[in-house]
Amino acid sequence: MNWLLILLQTGLSEAALRFGCATVSSQRLDPLVEPGKIPSSHVHQIVGGNAFNATMTGDIGEQATCTTCVYTEDFSNYWTAVLYFRHENGSYKRVPQYPNAQLGYEGRDDPTIKGGMTIYYTEKDFQSDGDDYITAFKPGFRMTVGSPTVTNLSEAQRYPGLRYTCLQDILTRGHETYALPSQPCPAGIMAIHHFMSCWDGVNLDSPDHQAHMHNVKAPGEGGFTNAAACPASHPVKVPQLAYETMWNTSAFADMWPADGSQPFVWSFMDDKGYGTHADYVFGWKGDSLQRALNSSCMFHGCGSPGMPGVLKTQPVADMNRCAVENTVTEDTEGWLSELPGQQMK
Ligand SMILES: *[C@@H]1O[C@H](CO)[C@@H](O)[C@H](O)[C@H]1NC(C)=O
Ligand SMILES: *[C@@H]1O[C@H](CO)[C@@H](O)[C@H](O)[C@H]1NC(C)=O
Ligand SMILES: *[C@@H]1O[C@H](CO)[C@@H](O)[C@H](O)[C@H]1NC(C)=O
Ligand SMILES: *[C@@H]1O[C@H](CO)[C@@H](O)[C@H](O)[C@H]1NC(C)=O
Ligand SMILES: *[C@@H]1O[C@H](CO)[C@@H](O)[C@H](O)[C@H]1NC(C)=O
């Protein structure tokens, strides 16, 4: 079943944001887990505001001057690891990203969004009656979901919102797996990252970047399925934040290994996919996110280039123009003999 149809049928009474952000940077920096470390352990792909750097403190909504997201008040940073293709001959090549479907405003001749991700801020899920009050994140808020140290399925199931979809076409949804797809996927691989959506209401961060958050979903439940109420320990319902990254594997279609093994590997040397993880630093300007959440807008209805809404927007050309100059200058794009920062195994 198409998730968009589910949404339209249930009639949310609070906002659901879905929007595109172009790539703002791709390099070995990790201001959340390894602040100040230049370079950090593995390559990331980052979208959002241009305040991204090795160290990030304070309210980045007041520090950034441009954003690669369609909503111009959103200076948050969103990032994940990078997917690589491992050739039978031992060399690696970065898998390019491509923009999701239905991000542009139909009828316009905007250029294509450069790489990036699709970002969601929804209610607790797509199937609720939408009557929960959703509190926006606060300046300085940050969190992660998943962990590169996870190496098996039972551990991965602690994070039911982290999945993969083997794309038959750009609109394939459902059939989510915890592991990277074992077969070639005609339209690439979609990596899905749902964050935890209950907050302790006090801490903007925690030592493991997760303890201030709580996951109300059980193993087996997909990311956009129904969720229980927040527990007393983490009573504040924050938006269900989710990323979708579309990895375009078509350049490698004719290089699938002869032994049938799946050839894709995350930049932290994970070819199972269980260690998938994502990072978030809140950076919406002022009360803009709460303003949107308080409304009952949905997707393009919240604002889209050429379509006014509760949020201000910018054209794709301006999204693509915003960039952060690399602090870590190394080749992450060509055919590489090893993954940057990773020891050969
Ligand atoms: C990032 O931080 C370094 C110092 O750690 C600084 O030299 C550089 O200008 C900063 N980059 C940006 C884009 O702010
Ligand atoms: C592996 O194959 C790729 C694609 O043909 C090629 O560009 C690369 O140089 C090869 N690496 C080695 C070590 O032969
Ligand atoms: C999965 O990994 C965890 C942590 O390394 C370990 O404790 C557990 O025994 C493993 N489970 C299985 C089924 O291999
Ligand atoms: C995917 O990559 C191929 C090149 O390998 C390119 O021709 C195609 O346009 C890309 N698809 C999208 C949707 O960007
Ligand atoms: C959002 O709604 C709450 C509760 O009705 C209200 O207190 C708050 O001022 C609103 N915030 C914005 C930015 O609209």
PDB file of all heavy atoms in Angstrom, residues 87 89 91 335, ligand 2:
ATOM      1  N   HIS A  87      34.260  -3.436  -5.449  1.00  0.00           N
ATOM      2  CA  HIS A  87      34.476  -4.226  -6.662  1.00  0.00           C
ATOM      3  C   HIS A  87      35.159  -5.541  -6.297  1.00  0.00           C
ATOM      4  O   HIS A  87      35.877  -5.610  -5.301  1.00  0.00           O
ATOM      5  CB  HIS A  87      35.355  -3.406  -7.622  1.00  0.00           C
ATOM      6  CG  HIS A  87      35.390  -3.922  -9.018  1.00  0.00           C
ATOM      7  ND1 HIS A  87      36.200  -4.963  -9.393  1.00  0.00           N
ATOM      8  CD2 HIS A  87      34.720  -3.528 -10.136  1.00  0.00           C
ATOM      9  CE1 HIS A  87      36.021  -5.194 -10.690  1.00  0.00           C
ATOM     10  NE2 HIS A  87      35.126  -4.334 -11.159  1.00  0.00           N
ATOM     11  N   ASN A  89      37.662  -6.667  -7.529  1.00  0.00           N
ATOM     12  CA  ASN A  89      39.117  -6.479  -7.528  1.00  0.00           C
ATOM     13  C   ASN A  89      39.608  -5.773  -6.261  1.00  0.00           C
ATOM     14  O   ASN A  89      40.782  -5.463  -6.137  1.00  0.00           O
ATOM     15  CB  ASN A  89      39.554  -5.726  -8.803  1.00  0.00           C
ATOM     16  CG  ASN A  89      39.059  -4.282  -8.824  1.00  0.00           C
ATOM     17  OD1 ASN A  89      38.664  -3.722  -7.800  1.00  0.00           O
ATOM     18  ND2 ASN A  89      39.093  -3.668 -10.004  1.00  0.00           N
ATOM     19  N   SER A  91      38.723  -2.728  -5.075  1.00  0.00           N
ATOM     20  CA  SER A  91      38.598  -1.265  -5.043  1.00  0.00           C
ATOM     21  C   SER A  91      37.183  -0.843  -4.639  1.00  0.00           C
ATOM     22  O   SER A  91      36.219  -1.590  -4.840  1.00  0.00           O
ATOM     23  CB  SER A  91      38.911  -0.669  -6.423  1.00  0.00           C
ATOM     24  OG  SER A  91      40.243  -0.917  -6.775  1.00  0.00           O
ATOM     25  N   TRP A 335      37.899   5.797  -7.575  1.00  0.00           N
ATOM     26  CA  TRP A 335      38.117   4.393  -7.208  1.00  0.00           C
ATOM     27  C   TRP A 335      39.206   4.381  -6.143  1.00  0.00           C
ATOM     28  O   TRP A 335      40.306   4.892  -6.361  1.00  0.00           O
ATOM     29  CB  TRP A 335      38.533   3.569  -8.426  1.00  0.00           C
ATOM     30  CG  TRP A 335      37.355   3.234  -9.308  1.00  0.00           C
ATOM     31  CD1 TRP A 335      36.960   3.890 -10.426  1.00  0.00           C
ATOM     32  CD2 TRP A 335      36.431   2.153  -9.131  1.00  0.00           C
ATOM     33  NE1 TRP A 335      35.850   3.298 -10.960  1.00  0.00           N
ATOM     34  CE2 TRP A 335      35.498   2.219 -10.178  1.00  0.00           C
ATOM     35  CE3 TRP A 335      36.287   1.127  -8.187  1.00  0.00           C
ATOM     36  CZ2 TRP A 335      34.439   1.312 -10.317  1.00  0.00           C
ATOM     37  CZ3 TRP A 335      35.243   0.221  -8.317  1.00  0.00           C
ATOM     38  CH2 TRP A 335      34.328   0.320  -9.377  1.00  0.00           C
TER      39      TRP A 335
HETATM   40  C1  LIG B   2      38.821  -2.247 -10.189  1.00  0.00           C
HETATM   41  O1  LIG B   2      37.865  -2.052 -11.197  1.00  0.00           O
HETATM   42  C2  LIG B   2      37.520  -0.700 -11.440  1.00  0.00           C
HETATM   43  C3  LIG B   2      36.403  -0.676 -12.473  1.00  0.00           C
HETATM   44  O2  LIG B   2      36.765  -1.299 -13.636  1.00  0.00           O
HETATM   45  C4  LIG B   2      38.759   0.040 -11.891  1.00  0.00           C
HETATM   46  O3  LIG B   2      38.453   1.401 -12.155  1.00  0.00           O
HETATM   47  C5  LIG B   2      39.803  -0.051 -10.783  1.00  0.00           C
HETATM   48  O4  LIG B   2      40.984   0.597 -11.167  1.00  0.00           O
HETATM   49  C6  LIG B   2      40.092  -1.505 -10.507  1.00  0.00           C
HETATM   50  N1  LIG B   2      41.009  -1.609  -9.367  1.00  0.00           N
HETATM   51  C7  LIG B   2      42.083  -2.392  -9.411  1.00  0.00           C
HETATM   52  C8  LIG B   2      42.915  -2.426  -8.168  1.00  0.00           C
HETATM   53  O5  LIG B   2      42.390  -3.023 -10.395  1.00  0.00           O
END
